[in-house]
Amino acid sequence: MSLVKLTIKGISYSQTQNGAYALILNEVDGERKLPIVIGAFEAQSIAIALEKEIKPPRPLTHDLFKNFADRFDIIVKQVIIHKLVDGVFFSSIICERDKIEEIIDARTSDAIALALRFSAPIFTYKNILDKAGIYLKINPAETEDNKDSNDDVLSTPETFGNVEQSLPITESYSDYSLQELYNKLEEAVQNEDYEKAAKIRDEISKKES
């Protein structure tokens, strides 16, 4: 399976649950977006890592991990989002110490927060992006201005367990037909409601599996 490199497009606030955010990953050599629902702490940690000028007075958990790893000469080489099950993304952190490589299982939000601190690349497999990626129509005139931009990242405040269990049931999509779901997905993407788009995408995947 081929790997696809991702960058962080931004973080958007959840419209349905306080403290929930949608982390938007962008396909480097394409137009697909990969939205992942995360919690407030992880969103804040990722945003602080992106905003280089923000320095917390005391190390956050991910900063502490970075300091610990540096002290013992542990390098994070890359992060791979390797599995998607029932709307939950699974990731691996590829580490190296004394030329010995280790693979550590991690929540995707934690893995990305660490990848940023180690300047490590983020990848996913093509089949995961094919299944969960969302196309966003972009004005060609704005493409260059928005490329690799993190201007829409929130600098202030992963869901634990299954996404569907963590989010309140504001709307059930199980009764919609596939065509209706695709229409709703397109509408959510146009409105940049990535959290809603992720939930609709997961329901489409269930119906098509």
Side-chain angles (χ1 to χ4, degrees), residues 54 91 101 176 184:
I54 299 177
S91 293
E101 193 171 276
Y176 289 99
K184 284 187 169 292

Side-chain angles (χ1 to χ4, degrees), residues 63-168:
D63 297 319
L64 177 61
F65 185 98
K66 173 66 163 58
N67 295 339
F68 183 89
D70 288 344
R71 184 65 60 90
F72 291 94
D73 298 321
I74 300 169
I75 301 171
V76 171
K77 298 178 65 177
Q78 62 183 12
V79 162
I80 300 176
I81 303 171
H82 64 84
K83 186 167 65 173
L84 172 61
V85 179
D86 295 331
V88 178
F89 292 88
F90 294 78
S91 293
S92 296
I93 301 173
I94 315 301
C95 304
E96 183 180 277
R97 181 173 183 268
D98 294 335
K99 297 183 179 180
I100 299 175
E101 193 171 276
E102 299 285 350
I103 301 176
I104 300 175
D105 181 49
R107 291 189 305 151
T108 297
S109 54
D110 289 327
I112 290 175
L114 290 174
L116 286 169
R117 285 162 171 80
F118 284 89
S119 299
I122 302 166
F123 297 94
T124 191
Y125 288 109
K126 182 178 181 298
N127 64 324
I128 292 178
L129 196 57
D130 289 342
K131 180 179 180 181
I134 294 172
Y135 280 98
L136 176 62
K137 294 179 181 178
I138 300 176
N139 186 334
E142 299 177 352
T143 300
E144 282 301 317
D145 292 336
N146 291 336
K147 188 176 182 181
D148 295 331
S149 170
N150 292 311
D151 292 342
D152 55 347
V153 176
L154 303 178
S155 57
T156 57
E158 172 139 332
T159 56
F160 295 87
N162 190 293
V163 172
E164 295 178 357
Q165 295 172 348
S166 303
L167 296 173

Side-chain angles (χ1 to χ4, degrees), residues 12-49:
S12 64
Y13 186 69
S14 168
Q15 301 299 314
T16 60
Q17 180 186 16
N18 290 334
Y21 293 77
L23 170 65
I24 315 302
L25 301 176
N26 192 72
E27 181 183 17
V28 170
D29 296 319
E31 298 181 359
R32 286 177 292 186
K33 305 291 184 289
L34 189 66
I36 300 174
V37 179
I38 63 175
F41 171 78
E42 292 79 9
Q44 183 184 53
S45 182
I46 290 170
I48 286 175

